[in-house]
Amino acid sequence: MLPLLLVSMDVSVLYFAIPYISQDLEPSATQQLWILDMYGFVLAGLLIVMGDLGDRIGRRTLVLAGAAVFGAASVAAAYAHSAEVLIGVRALLGLGGAALMPSTLALIRNLFLDARQRAKAVTLWTGVMTTGISLGPVVSGLLLEHFWWGSVFLINLPAMVLLLLLVPFLVPETATTTRGGRFDLLSALLSLGALLAVIYGIKEWARHGYEPLPALCVVAGLVFGAVFVRRQRRLAHPMIDLGLLGRRAFGGPVFANLLAMFATVGMAVFFTQYLQSVLGQSPLTAALWSLVPAAGVALMAPTGAALAQRTDRAYVMGGGFLLAACGFLWLSQVRTDSPLWFALAGGAVYAGGLVAAMTLANELALGAAPPERAGSAAAVLESGQELGGALGMAILGSIGAAVYSRDMADALPAGTPHADAVRETLGGAAAVAAELPAATADTVLSAAREAFTHGLGIAAIGAAVVMAGAGVLSAGFLRGLGRPAGVVPPASEHDGDSRPTAVAR
């Protein structure tokens, strides 16, 4: 859990530190974006490569190597003297994170062979991952109240040192002896190129709208992906088991997790902006309030796991998605003058439903993967999450932006200075309003907040529709795949001496 918490925190830990970094290192606008994005891009691009590598050399070995790289890169990032150095070190942090993430889930698959124990372990794993992303801005804000921006990186160091000291004694190695063939460098490069290009293109589309370069990146990534799949079909020992991906018990949960992250990441951007730009909270206050929906996570993750012991996992997953759909419909009713508790309650409902569904999807997919392929299976699962998050940010973000622009075109007073910037984003409207007379500024800000909240509501309805579809598909498509743990199969599945089979035991 320790490396998982830190790696997930590093996705969001720079949100508050960027202004301080900009003042100290003076990066260009493009460099500032790369400082933020480089970690996530490298992490996503290398997941499949590192998952396969862990299956070959051992997951504990890869965890130790990843911890060493992550710790050293954290020190280098804290004392980076230029934007270029910080961008490069953020890439190294992504490398270390990619080594750690799939290895933690693969270790769970190999250490917890009992289905009940594995279900509990995966519940904890999912809860820690989602909590880490939420904690990143809070930890960053608290550290920056007292220390310089490098402290948000140095906080990783004690944990990584502890990991290097304790893992050799507490965690057994799970290296496989059945994987054959040499590590395929060309497959690794194709995988890296496909994921990096597609995720970069989708995120740039979400940030700037349709432009030729992001579109070309997505097309190039899809071409790399097609060549990668074609190569895997021909290799005797492929990096990804395409047969496993085509199985209902594995491919179905991977797709379910993709849809869950689509909604989670897509709405997270709206939720934080609503707290800060509509309700007027400071970044740290907004980050602290955004932890409240974690109460739904704390309640629903173990509840979902407990229900899965008594009924078909597919029904529980479907119920989690439908609960998330209800939460998004709740958020669609949020207004600019809604009380804070109303928005937080809606967030808790959808977060609880999504985590319950994701926990069971992770557990079902891990159970379907052979132990010797657990690393590559975990990497595919996490790559799907990364892709789903990028799609959610792009599609739901575009829906909200389109509604905002249309509403502002109708509501903006004639002759408003810098009207294009006001119509583009709520942040642009706030920047322009700061330079306007008080009466005009109030009119512009009020209209912008109304338009943004309307866009949030429409995007939430879109997320609810996707979640309702995911619930129906999960209950129907995955039905019958996962018996409640510990249930003895029918007599027809026993062996000749009437004792339960090895799988049942």
Side-chain angles (χ1 to χ4, degrees), residues 429 432-447:
V432 171
E435 303 174 358
L436 297 176
T440 307
D442 288 344
T443 302
V444 169
L445 275 179
S446 177

Side-chain angles (χ1 to χ4, degrees), residues 187-382:
S187 290
L189 293 175
L190 288 170
S191 167
L192 178 63
L195 287 169
L196 275 181
V198 169
I199 292 176
Y200 172 78
I202 292 173
K203 286 192 173 183
E204 287 299 297
W205 172 36
R207 183 177 287 146
H208 303 297
Y210 176 80
E211 291 180 353
L213 181 59
L216 286 174
C217 286
V218 172
V219 172
L222 292 175
V223 171
F224 283 136
V227 176
F228 173 79
V229 170
R230 183 180 178 86
R231 182 169 179 81
Q232 301 312 294
R233 293 186 187 279
R234 294 181 173 182
L235 290 175
H237 303 283
M239 185 170 285
I240 289 180
D241 185 352
L242 297 179
L244 177 63
L245 191 59
R247 289 176 55 192
R248 213 164 39 111
F250 184 79
V254 168
F255 186 62
N257 257 359
L258 184 150
L259 293 178
M261 290 302 292
F262 171 92
T264 301
V265 176
M267 287 306 299
V269 177
F270 287 100
F271 199 76
T272 53
Q273 276 193 278
Y274 176 80
L275 294 177
Q276 292 183 54
S277 301
V278 176
L279 300 186
Q281 296 179 350
S282 69
L284 181 56
T285 301
L288 288 168
W289 277 117
S290 66
L291 291 177
V292 172
V297 173
L299 175 65
M300 286 305 302
T303 300
L307 288 173
Q309 303 298 328
R310 296 172 173 81
T311 187
D312 196 313
R313 288 170 174 80
Y315 296 142
V316 183
M317 282 179 60
F321 279 121
L322 293 178
L323 181 63
C326 292
F328 287 122
L329 289 176
W330 186 322
L331 282 183
S332 71
Q333 302 304 307
V334 168
R335 302 292 180 262
T336 56
D337 57 351
S338 296
L340 177 60
W341 69 264
F342 188 81
L344 295 177
V349 172
Y350 88 70
L354 282 176
V355 168
M358 291 173 65
T359 297
L360 294 174
N362 287 332
E363 198 271 328
L364 189 59
L366 276 187
E372 67 272 11
R373 300 302 299 252
S376 57
V380 170
L381 199 60
E382 291 163 6

